[in-house]
Amino acid sequence: MEIGRKPRTLSDEELVRKIVQVNDPLLFGHLYDRYAQRVYNKCYGFSKSKDEAEDLTQDVFLKLYLKLDTFKGNSKFSTWLYAFTYNFCVNYVRRKNLKKVEHPLDNVCDADFMPLFEVSEEQLMQVKAKRLKKALELITAEDKSLLLLKYQDDVSVKELGILLGVSEGAIKMRLKRARQKVIRAYHKLT
């Protein structure tokens, strides 16, 4: 490492080059510290629990350490890491077959049909958020991830195109279809 430059002052790309160059797990720890929470948040979007998301996060970083030399610098490291995490999680969901299709009315009870009185706006928003989360579980992992990247993580259409290796037009079409699917699922939950 350059004399006088501490790992925390290096850009992501400089830090990655240095890690690949010297294969130092301590340097990798700095990269982990920078991105662990963001990777966890992404993994949590694919998982059923906090524990599972933590396990996925550790698995992503283990695999990342082994594959870090495949980062070529064609995009920002953070963009590449999102794609890496996305692909890892999609593959995990496919392998574990977590996408179990349930009938939306299987869990409905009589209390769901009782009228509610004096519901605050905050309570209403919580109900809508819970219903949206359930709707997201009913669509494919790819569609869910695309929507979360766009609307939760504010990843631009251009960056999504880079992540997925497709044109911006294709991303816009995929987003449109994913939005339609989640809205249909959301309305089926009513």
Side-chain angles (χ1 to χ4, degrees):
M1 189 173 333
E2 299 169 29
I3 297 174
R5 291 221 43 206
K6 295 183 180 184
R8 68 177 172 267
T9 65
L10 296 174
S11 72
D12 292 339
E13 291 73 18
E14 291 170 324
L15 185 56
V16 167
R17 276 194 298 276
K18 204 47 100 167
I19 293 166
V20 170
Q21 208 173 37
V22 297
N23 198 26
D24 184 350
L26 294 176
L27 280 177
F28 186 76
H30 291 281
L31 197 62
Y32 177 88
D33 292 341
R34 287 181 189 181
Y35 287 100
Q37 188 61 49
R38 287 183 246 181
V39 169
Y40 170 82
N41 291 342
K42 186 63 44 220
C43 291
Y44 189 71
F46 280 91
S47 68
K48 303 290 184 191
S49 71
K50 291 179 181 180
D51 290 338
E52 187 177 21
E54 288 172 5
D55 290 344
L56 278 172
T57 301
Q58 294 305 314
D59 292 345
V60 165
F61 277 101
L62 177 62
K63 188 169 182 181
L64 179 68
Y65 185 73
L66 299 172
K67 298 282 189 177
L68 201 56
D69 62 339
T70 63
F71 174 66
K72 301 300 178 203
N74 298 332
S75 63
K76 292 183 346 187
F77 176 75
S78 59
T79 302
W80 183 82
L81 179 58
Y82 274 133
F84 188 91
T85 304
Y86 167 85
N87 289 330
F88 184 89
C89 290
V90 166
N91 289 334
Y92 171 80
V93 169
R94 285 181 181 150
R95 277 191 317 270
K96 297 297 182 181
N97 196 20
L98 290 177
K99 187 69 181 140
K100 295 176 184 170
V101 179
E102 293 181 39
H103 190 277
L105 297 178
D106 285 348
N107 298 322
V108 174
C109 64
D110 292 337
D112 292 327
F113 295 103
M114 294 177 68
L116 297 175
F117 300 98
E118 295 185 38
V119 176
S120 72
E121 194 170 302
E122 183 179 315
Q123 289 171 316
L124 181 61
M125 295 310 284
Q126 287 175 348
V127 169
K128 287 181 179 182
K130 286 179 185 175
R131 200 165 105 199
L132 179 58
K133 186 174 182 178
K134 285 181 183 178
L136 284 168
E137 294 300 323
L138 295 175
I139 63 176
T140 66
E142 291 87 350
D143 288 337
K144 176 183 175 181
S145 181
L146 187 63
L147 290 170
L148 291 175
L149 282 168
K150 174 68 176 138
Y151 298 108
Q152 183 180 40
D153 299 329
D154 292 323
V155 177
S156 71
V157 170
K158 183 176 182 174
E159 286 180 313
L160 286 171
I162 294 168
L163 284 174
L164 301 177
V166 297
S167 70
E168 289 181 41
I171 291 296
K172 289 176 184 177
M173 184 54 69
R174 288 182 186 185
L175 281 168
K176 178 182 176 183
R177 289 180 181 149
R179 283 191 305 263
Q180 289 171 340
K181 289 176 186 176
V182 79
I183 291 299
R184 277 196 295 269
Y186 182 86
H187 288 299
K188 286 181 182 178
L189 293 172
T190 58

